[in-house]
Amino acid sequence: MITNTNNLSEEAKTRLMNFFSHMIEPKDMAKVIRQANYLLAISAIRENQCLQNEMINFENSFYWLNELAEALNPYLNVE
């Protein structure tokens, strides 16, 4: 089901624009999301046994997904 995505506040839109302008390119973020999804799926299939060489990609993906989450709704940076 597709829902309306125009419910972002102007502040959230600004944070997203800043995130994709200064932190990571949208195409690179899409790659990070796909890598994380792949690793989560393969981990579940293999009963949580990730390949060691894939862990580096997972750590990088985790970082960028967290940065995107902070851009959408700051939580960790709130004092």
Side-chain angles (χ1 to χ4, degrees):
M1 179 177 170
I2 298 175
T3 59
N4 185 359
T5 57
N6 286 334
N7 57 357
L8 289 176
S9 69
E10 289 303 314
E11 182 181 350
K13 289 177 187 177
T14 300
R15 289 192 306 261
L16 276 173
M17 291 299 293
N18 287 335
F19 179 78
F20 287 118
S21 294
H22 303 293
M23 300 290 286
I24 187 171
E25 293 288 325
K27 66 181 180 90
D28 293 332
M29 187 67 213
K31 182 178 178 180
V32 164
I33 291 169
R34 289 184 186 103
Q35 286 175 335
N37 284 341
Y38 166 78
L39 290 171
L40 291 171
I42 202 80
S43 176
I45 291 168
R46 293 184 179 169
E47 298 177 18
N48 298 321
Q49 294 177 358
C50 285
L51 301 173
Q52 187 62 33
N53 60 349
E54 296 293 336
M55 287 305 293
I56 295 169
N57 288 336
F58 184 71
E59 290 170 5
N60 191 34
S61 298
F62 179 80
Y63 172 80
W64 286 115
L65 289 172
N66 187 60
E67 288 295 313
L68 177 59
E70 285 298 300
L72 292 170
N73 183 14
Y75 177 76
L76 298 175
N77 295 331
V78 174
E79 295 180 17

